[in-house]
């Protein structure tokens, strides 16, 4: 046994390295764990996208589980995920708030008219300050926020039908119980 | 063809980038001392959009936004530590090029030392084992003569 150890040890070291390097191939370097998960969501009050002059205050969502979807009309990937949110909005079991991030109001409104508006409210984060408080660094991003206003999940990048169902919808249903 | 394309790309970036940076340049000129502090700190922080660049190097919108936020906070009298705290709260320790030493980063900080120690132990024990297996036997008289004969030949 000891004789074989000499040959097996380098093989074992090699396999461990292969495992680490191989795992690295399947990690997304853009996905940085957010320090905000399981912390209270930043409270914000900005102008409503649809109603200039009126404010959207995130306090008004307290007491219910809700989804915050950060998007912009200039963001290509937002267009890819949007039909999924339109469909989710149609099912009408969880309010989705849109955070329109560093966009032009005209462009954003036209985008919603063309592609559908699943949002119960749209906050107009024209200078990206709200986005900064949420640690947004790549739109689209999606947050699940619970009744107490705690961020329970953050998804970076466009959701897919699969990730929306397994990560977002299932968590929302769990939290709504 | 390739060169023409490269020239075209270079030309277009030369034309566009001053426009993008013009807004920031105006802010920068205001206070050179403050600007120096902003940039010194910006080089310590990672641009999350373009991960191998610092916030100081990058021309991405993300970096420009964060630099102007840093500028604003510093001009309000916030210390470097407070600005870093602001960034870490939002973007996590990953934004720092020099992560703090804590339980989750122990392996990152001391992993190389650990590997070095394992290597040293392996070296120590294998040398010790070698010493036991390799026996040095002195030459007997006959062998010595043969060796001398061979050497004298030269």
């Amino acid at each position: 046994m000891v004789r074989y150890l000499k040959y097996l040890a380098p093989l074992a070291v090699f396999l461990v390295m292969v495992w680490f390097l191989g795992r690295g191939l399947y990690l997304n370097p853009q996905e940085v764990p957010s320090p905000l998960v399981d912390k209270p969501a930043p409270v914000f009050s900005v102008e409503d996208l649809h109603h200039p002059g009126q404010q959207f205050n995130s306090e008004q969502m307290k007491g219910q589980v809700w989804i915050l979807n950060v998007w912009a009309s200039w963001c290509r990937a937002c267009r890819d995920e949007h039909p999924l949110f339109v469909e989710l909005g149609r099912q009408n079991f969880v309010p989705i708030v849109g955070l329109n991030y560093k966009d032009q109001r005209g462009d954003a409104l036209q985008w919603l008219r063309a592609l559908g508006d699943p949002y119960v409210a749209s906050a107009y984060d024209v200078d990206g300050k709200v986005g900064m408080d949420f640690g947004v660094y790549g739109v689209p991003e999606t947050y699940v926020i619970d009744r107490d206003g705690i961020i329970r999940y953050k998804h970076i990048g466009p959701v897919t039908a699969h990730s929306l169902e397994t990560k977002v919808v299932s968590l929302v249903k769990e939290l709504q119980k | 063809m390739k060169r023409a394309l490269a020239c075209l790309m270079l030309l277009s970036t030369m034309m566009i980038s001053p426009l993008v940076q013009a807004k920031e340049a105006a802010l920068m000129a205001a206070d050179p001392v403050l600007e120096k502090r902003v940039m010194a700190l910006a080089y310590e922080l990672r641009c999350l959009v373009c991960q191998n660049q610092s916030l100081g190097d990058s021309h991405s919108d993300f970096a420009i936004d964060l630099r102007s936020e840093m500028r604003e906070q510093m001009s309000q009298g916030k210390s470097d530590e407070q600005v870093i705290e602001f960034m870490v709260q939002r973007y996590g320790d990953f934004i720092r090029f020099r992560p703090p030493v804590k339980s989750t980063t122990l392996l990152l900080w001391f992993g190389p030392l650990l590997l070095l120690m394992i290597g040293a132990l392996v070296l120590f024990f294998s040398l010790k084992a070698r010493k036991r297996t390799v026996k040095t036997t002195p030459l007997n008289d006959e062998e010595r003569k043969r060796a001398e004969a061979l050497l004298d030949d030269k």
Side-chain angles (χ1 to χ4, degrees):
Chain A
M1 185 57 216
V2 176
R3 241 175 61 205
Y4 292 124
L5 198 69
K6 205 158 102 187
Y7 304 103
L8 286 177
L11 184 69
V13 170
F14 173 73
L15 287 177
V16 168
M17 277 172 63
V18 165
W19 185 80
F20 272 106
L21 294 174
R23 225 185 108 67
L25 284 179
Y26 294 96
L27 292 176
N28 180 1
Q30 296 291 341
E31 250 171 56
V32 179
S34 171
L36 283 165
V37 171
D38 292 331
K39 300 256 168 64
V43 173
F44 61 93
S45 176
V46 285
E47 208 174 22
D48 190 292
L49 180 68
H50 295 283
H51 312 285
Q54 279 182 36
Q55 294 280 307
F56 170 82
N57 191 322
S58 67
E59 288 278 4
Q60 72 194 60
M61 303 307 292
K62 265 236 164 107
Q64 52 186 334
V65 181
W66 57 293
I67 293 174
L68 181 72
N69 179 228
V70 185
W71 68 281
S73 67
W74 46 261
C75 149
R76 170 65 244 202
C78 299
R79 198 174 275 264
D80 294 338
E81 67 163 14
H82 198 68
L84 294 167
F85 282 107
V86 173
E87 179 51 38
L88 186 64
R90 215 172 270 145
Q91 292 169 22
N92 218 3
F93 72 90
V94 56
I96 311 169
V97 173
L99 182 72
N100 183 234
Y101 178 70
K102 296 184 75 175
D103 209 345
Q104 305 285 331
R105 178 173 261 134
D107 294 347
L109 289 174
Q110 209 206 319
W111 199 87
L112 288 179
R113 265 197 303 276
L115 298 173
D117 184 354
Y119 305 122
V120 293
S122 285
Y124 184 47
D125 183 24
V126 64
D127 55 7
K129 289 275 185 200
V130 177
M132 194 178 285
D133 281 341
F134 272 85
V136 170
Y137 61 86
V139 266
E141 287 188 9
T142 302
Y143 298 79
V144 175
I145 299 166
D146 72 8
R147 289 197 179 95
D148 302 320
I150 310 287
I151 297 176
R152 300 300 289 263
Y153 178 69
K154 172 183 182 179
H155 185 94
I156 296 161
V159 296
T160 59
H162 180 74
S163 62
L164 188 68
E165 187 57 41
T166 57
K167 297 279 170 60
V168 177
V169 171
S170 59
L171 177 63
V172 166
K173 284 182 174 157
E174 183 66 31
L175 292 172
Q176 280 177 336
K177 268 178 202 164
Chain B
M1 181 58 208
K2 241 180 179 168
R3 253 170 89 176
L5 197 70
C7 283
L8 200 71
M9 275 163 68
L10 185 67
L11 201 69
S12 61
T13 43
M14 279 163 74
M15 268 155 45
I16 295 166
S17 57
L19 291 176
V20 177
Q21 287 154 37
K23 209 175 95 189
E24 207 190 5
L27 286 162
M28 275 158 61
D31 183 350
V33 180
L34 181 78
E35 193 54 33
K36 225 173 171 179
R37 251 186 80 201
V38 169
M39 290 316 283
L41 195 59
Y43 281 110
E44 290 284 316
L45 298 174
R46 187 194 310 271
C47 170
L48 291 177
V49 180
C50 29
Q51 288 180 359
N52 291 327
Q53 277 186 310
S54 72
L55 283 182
D57 292 318
S58 173
H59 295 304
S60 67
D61 271 2
F62 177 80
I64 293 173
D65 281 358
L66 286 195
R67 282 202 298 266
S68 70
E69 180 69 29
M70 287 160 73
R71 203 169 283 128
E72 201 175 296
Q73 292 193 6
M74 283 181 174
S75 64
Q76 286 165 6
K78 291 218 173 132
S79 70
D80 288 10
E81 287 71 35
Q82 282 171 314
V83 174
I84 290 180
E85 181 61 28
F86 175 91
M87 297 296 170
V88 168
Q89 257 174 27
R90 283 156 183 76
Y91 300 101
D93 284 328
F94 190 66
I95 199 167
R96 305 177 65 168
F97 276 122
R98 289 178 229 223
V101 181
K102 57 185 197 186
S103 61
T104 48
T105 57
L106 279 182
L107 199 61
L108 183 70
W109 275 97
F110 300 108
L113 190 69
L114 193 72
L115 286 180
L116 184 72
M117 273 157 57
I118 291 172
L121 281 179
V122 168
L123 184 69
F124 177 76
F125 283 112
S126 55
L127 282 180
K128 220 173 151 185
R130 218 175 106 97
K131 221 173 177 179
R132 245 186 290 123
T133 50
V134 179
K135 287 196 192 94
T136 47
T137 41
L139 299 178
N140 57 33
D141 284 349
E142 199 180 323
E143 283 166 337
R144 191 179 298 277
K145 264 181 202 147
R146 253 187 81 204
E148 272 167 6
L150 283 169
L151 288 168
D152 283 344
D153 250 12
K154 280 274 162 79

